Amino acid sequence: TDALVTELRGLLVRVRGVFDAPARSDAVSLDALLATWSRIIDLRAHIDPAARALLEAGATAAQDAYDVAAEGILNAVKHSGERRAEVLLDVVATGAGPALRVRVRSSAPLSAGAELRPASHVRSLGATLRSTSEGAVLEALIRVDAPARDGSVVSAEHPV
């Protein structure tokens, strides 16, 4: 009947709209992660506007940032009696182009010999774990898509 055909056409338009919608970036997931943990621990988070733009534009960078933040927060909770952490995301310039820096600080010092497991996913992303006078820092520089360049680029990182 005509009513059924009209209803089915409307349904097809809605279904097509779901499949044609742009994929949601993992930036939304990162926001949800930070919101969830902030209800459990004293979590301060800051995402620089330039970092936010990169997170929303690049699903891979956002997923990697999520993984680093999740690992850092989980470690802060497991190893700190104070249950406090800070998550900072910003963009830094490197010789190879811009990189998204994800830094998770906790107030608990690292135990002697603490390091990222050799098979750790965040370690494969280039994350480092170090002790500071205020506690521990898990940090990663995540490459973002940059315009293609001719030749190779070498970029050195110097510890602070």
Side-chain angles (χ1 to χ4, degrees):
T1 69
D2 290 339
L4 181 58
V5 169
T6 302
E7 185 178 344
L8 287 174
R9 283 188 181 148
L11 180 61
L12 286 174
V13 167
R14 288 194 306 269
V15 168
R16 193 174 305 130
V18 169
F19 289 105
D20 292 342
R24 211 174 71 171
S25 82
D26 283 333
V28 174
S29 298
L30 178 61
D31 289 336
L33 173 80
L34 298 174
T36 299
W37 276 110
S38 69
R39 290 191 291 271
I40 300 167
I41 66 171
D42 178 12
L43 179 67
R44 287 176 283 160
H46 176 73
I47 302 175
D48 183 80
R52 167 72 60 195
L54 288 177
L55 289 169
E56 291 174 354
T60 301
Q63 182 177 359
D64 291 346
Y66 176 98
D67 292 345
V68 172
E71 176 83 11
I73 295 168
L74 183 60
N75 284 338
V77 170
K78 284 184 351 185
H79 303 295
S80 172
E82 296 183 33
R83 302 175 70 85
R84 184 179 355 190
E86 181 179 36
V87 178
L88 305 167
L89 283 82
D90 61 359
V91 177
V92 295
T94 71
L100 179 64
R101 179 171 48 191
V102 181
R103 188 181 296 162
V104 182
R105 294 181 184 159
S106 72
S107 56
L110 291 176
S111 18
E115 62 180 28
L116 294 172
R117 295 180 333 273
S120 166
H121 172 60
V122 297
R123 185 176 186 160
S124 73
L125 295 174
T128 59
L129 181 63
R130 68 181 190 283
S131 219
T132 68
S133 59
E134 293 90 30
V137 176
L138 176 67
E139 182 175 317
L141 288 180
I142 299 167
R143 293 274 304 132
V144 295
D145 293 333
R149 294 188 170 109
D150 291 334
S152 298
V153 175
V154 176
S155 181
E157 293 178 32
H158 302 281
V160 178

